[in-house]
Amino acid sequence: MRLTIYTDYSLRLLMYLALKEDGLATIAEVAQSYGVSKNHLMKVAYQLGVAGYIETIRGRSGGLRLAKSP
């Protein structure tokens, strides 16, 4: 089975957020952890937020988290 880069980044982001125990994660943190492009990860995070899989919190202490428990 072949995955697109977009799908690969989506799955990586969801897995990272599922394993994150202490709350919010930033896009920069996830991008650095996996060594992927921050700009591509922003597009993925936006679409996952629109689909309702993750919650995005804006602002200084914002970040990403899963919308539902894993």
Side-chain angles (χ1 to χ4, degrees), residues 41-53:
L41 207 54
M42 277 193 240
K43 293 177 188 177
V44 169
Y46 172 75
Q47 286 298 322
L48 288 174
V50 169
Y53 291 108

Side-chain angles (χ1 to χ4, degrees), residues 44-65:
V44 169
Y46 172 75
Q47 286 298 322
L48 288 174
V50 169
Y53 291 108
I54 64 173
E55 293 178 348
T56 56
I57 294 93
R58 297 183 64 166
R60 183 173 174 212
S61 60
L64 309 167
R65 66 177 167 215

Side-chain angles (χ1 to χ4, degrees), residues 3-18:
L3 296 177
T4 63
I5 293 175
Y6 196 85
T7 305
D8 182 33
Y9 287 3
S10 298
L11 291 173
R12 288 179 190 227
L13 180 59
L14 289 172
M15 287 187 297
Y16 188 91
L17 294 176

